[in-house]
Amino acid sequence: SKEKFGGLCFFIKNTTQEMREVILTYEQMSYSICEECGEEGERRKGGWMKTLCDKHAEERENKIKTKEL
């Protein structure tokens, strides 16, 4: 698996339909779960796309601003 555009993306061979359905479900869920804490989140821009809750998105923005100064 790998992270891409703020969500999970799985690449596996020899899957069943049931496996593909489970993978798709969790890939879709990953776009609404904060990568840092597991709370409800949304995809955020700022370099690489990340899925973050409001708290962690604000922390990320502050880190980006600090590095730019």
Side-chain angles (χ1 to χ4, degrees), residues 30-53:
S30 73
Y31 290 107
S32 62
I33 299 171
C34 178
E35 297 175 23
E36 299 293 329
C37 67
E39 295 293 326
E40 184 176 333
E42 60 186 68
R43 291 195 303 171
R44 316 285 180 142
K45 295 180 182 179
W48 289 97
M49 295 285 287
K50 293 183 75 66
T51 302
L52 300 169
C53 64

Side-chain angles (χ1 to χ4, degrees), residues 1-2 8-12 22-24 26-27 30:
S1 74
K2 70 178 188 177
L8 296 175
C9 185
F10 290 88
F11 299 96
I12 58 176
V22 169
I23 290 168
L24 180 60
Y26 284 95
E27 284 178 340
S30 73

Side-chain angles (χ1 to χ4, degrees), residues 4-18:
K4 188 173 185 179
F5 303 116
L8 296 175
C9 185
F10 290 88
F11 299 96
I12 58 176
K13 295 181 181 181
N14 303 320
T15 60
T16 65
Q17 180 62 31
E18 181 180 21

